[in-house]
Amino acid sequence: MRGRAELLTRPARPVAARGRPGRQPTPSVAGPVGDGAGGQGRGAARGPAGHPIVAAGPAEAPPAKDAAEVPRELEALLAWYAESNELLLSALREAGPERECWAWWGAGVSPANAWGVARRRVHEVLVHTYDAQLAAGAVQPMPADVAIDGVAEFLDTCNSTPAAWPHEAATIHYHATEGRSWLLALDGTGAWPAPLTDDAAPASASARGTAEQLLLFVWGRLTLSDLKIEGDQQVFEQLIAWEPEE
């Protein structure tokens, strides 16, 4: 959807399966990111680089999956990861941000181009870095500006769909204590995100926390109980249960 204003917990398929706030937290793992650790869904199937997708340009389907297995031995895994990311960076530089490519979020707000792929990879790495740090008992604060964009990116990519909302029309507001807020509109035209303006009507429900907390919430690492919730919590529960068809 590109024509309407530009919209939380696990990624990768339409709104419900690819991103629903408040589900049971995804168990943090120390396994390789490219192995789909943390529930990245179909957006993760190609490992951390994704360079074949960018290099292929516009396409109706993703390139054939590389049959090579991700290394399990630590040193080999680190070397594979570094090489994969360098291949991605090279593909992105060569393509430029506007080059179109296949993307599993094609029906949503995020653009199906090299810029959209790069943005998604940044936040996948950010959240899986948190997973690894948590597994090691050494969690570090996320950069606030990156976490803020991470919330916006997740809404744009994972909580935007033209599938009709099957309940009474509703709105959800997400407030980051750093000063940024977002709107998620749910109605017969689908689910659509937008920055929250000062003149916006009161929300049906809202969630407030730091940008890091909101990001971890939308990615399934935190639940509603970890945030300050106001309004009709049933709206969140409906969103969690929703399985839209596109």
Side-chain angles (χ1 to χ4, degrees):
M1 203 317 275
R2 303 289 192 275
R4 190 167 171 170
E6 308 184 18
L7 166 64
L8 229 197
T9 311
R10 297 176 57 132
R13 297 195 306 255
V15 173
R18 81 180 182 205
R20 295 179 292 186
R23 303 208 73 177
Q24 290 300 313
T26 301
S28 294
V29 296
V33 174
D35 202 27
Q40 292 181 33
R42 61 183 165 139
R46 300 199 58 80
H51 56 277
I53 292 174
V54 175
E60 294 298 321
K65 185 176 180 180
D66 190 344
E69 292 189 7
V70 176
R72 294 288 177 173
E73 192 275 328
L74 180 58
E75 290 189 7
L77 173 62
L78 294 175
W80 168 85
Y81 189 81
E83 179 185 9
S84 297
N85 279 301
E86 187 53 44
L87 288 170
L88 173 60
L89 292 173
S90 297
L92 290 170
R93 294 187 190 104
E94 181 177 345
E98 300 301 324
R99 182 176 184 178
E100 295 183 356
C101 60
W102 176 85
W104 54 259
W105 57 82
V109 167
S110 283
N113 59 19
W115 181 84
V117 170
R119 190 185 187 203
R120 169 110 289 243
R121 293 304 185 186
V122 166
H123 299 301
E124 287 177 344
V125 170
L126 178 65
V127 172
H128 290 300
T129 297
Y130 164 85
D131 290 335
Q133 292 175 344
L134 186 63
V139 174
Q140 299 297 312
M142 294 180 180
D145 57 338
V146 182
I148 287 171
D149 185 65
V151 176
E153 188 277 335
F154 193 93
L155 295 176
D156 287 349
T157 303
C158 300
N159 272 171
S160 59
T161 175
W165 174 244
H167 305 287
E168 181 178 350
T171 55
I172 295 176
H173 292 176
Y174 299 107
H175 302 288
T177 56
E178 292 85 353
R180 291 287 298 277
S181 297
W182 300 268
L183 163 71
L184 174 57
L186 303 162
D187 57 29
T189 70
W192 303 111
L196 186 62
T197 59
D198 292 338
D199 59 352
S204 306
S206 66
R208 183 182 301 273
T210 66
E212 178 174 337
Q213 288 175 321
L214 291 175
L215 180 63
L216 292 174
F217 170 61
V218 301
W219 275 82
R221 273 57 176 178
L222 299 180
T223 66
L224 288 169
S225 62
D226 297 302
L227 303 173
K228 181 180 180 180
I229 305 300
E230 296 182 346
D232 185 1
Q233 185 165 320
Q234 184 181 23
V235 177
F236 283 108
E237 295 168 352
Q238 291 171 338
L239 182 60
I240 291 167
W242 188 27
E243 297 282 356
E245 297 181 3
E246 293 187 2

